[in-house]
């Protein structure tokens, strides 16, 4: 039996994580935060003081990465048995993740790890290429976006809540740069799947977005 998948792709700070988690909970489906896989690899590579410009070295490291996800209440991620959850959200991690995510060799190694999340009764997968590459055959696809200003503001608040020091202008600029890199890369760029439902959340509340996505899944 084919396992249904709802893909939610979009730029950073569009609210994909919040919406995906809420919808997964409502549907009783599993949840894949694919960005955290790239972020985990970035942490692994930074800790090993690897040259992030070496696609081959980062891809090799990806082979040695064993991740355990626990999504009971809050997401807990263990990298080779060490809890790295607290380090995932930082902007340095996000920027490094975006850099290594541009390498086709790295994406190839991480592809199967993401596909393995597809289990009954269903999966909500959030990322950049969930609907275009990893779960191309998904029956439900959303492209969730918002203006860069709004996304900068949301990320700023999120980091503040986590007690991480942040500067709004810098966050917004970092977001614009990261989006550009994610959108302009050759391999699996951030673009809406042809069959995706395009949703701009700039002027919508979280609940309104969740409702719209729930309607889509029927
Ligand atoms: O969603 P996020 O901010 O946690 O993702 C961090 C980076 O990882 C993002 O800038 C690009 C990369 N990424 C990707 O290339 N493909 C995905 N499916 C998810 C994330």
């Amino acid at each position: 039996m084919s396992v249904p998948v709802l893909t939610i792709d979009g730029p950073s700070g569009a609210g994909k994580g919040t919406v995906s988690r809420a919808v997964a909970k409502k549907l009783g489906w599993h949840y894949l935060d694919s960005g955290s896989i790239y972020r985990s690899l970035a942490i692994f590579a930074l800790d090993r003081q690897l040259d992030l410009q070496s696609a081959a070295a980062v891809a090799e490291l990806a082979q040695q990465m064993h991740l355990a996800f626990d999504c009971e209440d809050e997401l807990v991620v263990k990298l080779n048995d060490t809890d790295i959850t607290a380090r995932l959200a930082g902007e340095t991690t996000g920027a490094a993740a975006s850099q290594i995510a541009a390498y086709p060799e790295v994406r190839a190694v991480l592809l199967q790890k993401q596909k393995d999340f597809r289990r009954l009764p269903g999966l909500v997968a959030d990322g950049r290429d969930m609907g275009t590459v990893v779960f191309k055959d998904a029956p439900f696809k959303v492209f969730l976006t918002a203006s860069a200003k709004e996304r900068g503001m949301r990320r700023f608040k999120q980091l503040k809540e986590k007690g991480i020091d942040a500067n709004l202008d810098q966050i917004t600029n970092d977001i614009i740069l990261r989006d550009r890199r994610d959108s302009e890369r050759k391999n699996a760029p951030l673009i809406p799947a042809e069959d995706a439902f395009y949703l701009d959340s700039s002027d919508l509340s979280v609940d309104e977005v969740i409702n719209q996505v729930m309607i889509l899944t029927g």
Side-chain angles (χ1 to χ4, degrees):
M1 180 191 169
S2 121
V3 179
V5 181
L6 161 66
T7 62
I8 305 191
D9 288 307
S12 26
K16 300 187 302 281
T18 310
V19 171
S20 303
R21 270 192 300 274
V23 172
K25 200 164 186 183
K26 277 181 191 281
L27 294 170
W29 288 7
H30 301 283
Y31 167 54
L32 165 62
D33 170 3
S34 62
S36 67
I37 297 183
Y38 290 92
R39 284 172 182 265
S40 300
L41 180 57
I43 290 172
F44 200 11
L46 289 170
D47 284 358
R48 291 281 178 101
Q49 297 183 327
L50 219 68
D51 176 7
L52 294 192
Q53 298 200 16
S54 168
V58 180
E60 166 80 39
L61 195 68
Q63 313 255 24
Q64 302 165 29
M65 180 172 75
H66 297 285
L67 290 177
F69 286 83
D70 184 353
C71 295
E72 276 295 295
D73 290 315
E74 291 287 305
L75 178 73
V76 174
V77 180
K78 284 190 179 159
L79 165 62
N80 298 347
D81 287 333
T82 305
D83 187 342
I84 55 160
T85 317
R87 301 173 59 197
L88 285 173
E91 282 308 301
T92 316
T93 309
S98 169
Q99 185 180 351
I100 61 174
Y103 304 140
E105 301 91 325
V106 169
R107 303 197 75 85
V109 176
L110 300 182
L111 186 64
Q112 192 57 44
K113 285 188 201 289
Q114 297 169 77
K115 290 188 180 224
D116 290 344
F117 278 79
R118 190 171 190 166
R119 280 175 281 127
L120 283 170
L123 176 70
V124 179
D126 118 33
R128 304 291 185 291
D129 63 339
M130 298 295 99
T132 50
V133 177
V134 183
F135 304 108
K136 210 171 167 16
D137 65 333
F140 313 111
K141 298 183 185 179
V142 173
F143 190 84
L144 184 61
T145 190
S147 68
K149 191 164 167 250
E150 180 63 30
R151 291 185 288 118
M153 181 56 93
R154 289 179 193 170
R155 184 68 98 194
F156 175 72
K157 284 189 188 154
Q158 230 175 34
L159 291 173
K160 281 270 169 198
E161 275 164 21
K162 286 186 177 158
I164 299 172
D165 218 11
N167 169 292
L168 179 58
D169 285 342
Q170 189 170 352
I171 296 272
T172 310
N173 282 338
D174 286 352
I175 277 187
I176 292 169
L177 282 178
R178 187 133 71 88
D179 290 347
R180 196 174 299 153
R181 174 155 49 199
D182 293 343
S183 307
E184 290 178 355
R185 70 180 178 220
K186 282 206 189 77
N187 198 254
L190 167 67
I191 40 160
E194 271 174 26
D195 48 351
F197 173 60
Y198 191 94
L199 191 52
D200 186 328
S201 72
S202 303
D203 300 315
L204 299 176
S205 69
V206 175
D207 283 343
E208 284 169 328
V209 176
I210 293 170
N211 285 341
Q212 295 235 23
V213 175
M214 285 303 292
I215 291 168
L216 182 80
T217 60

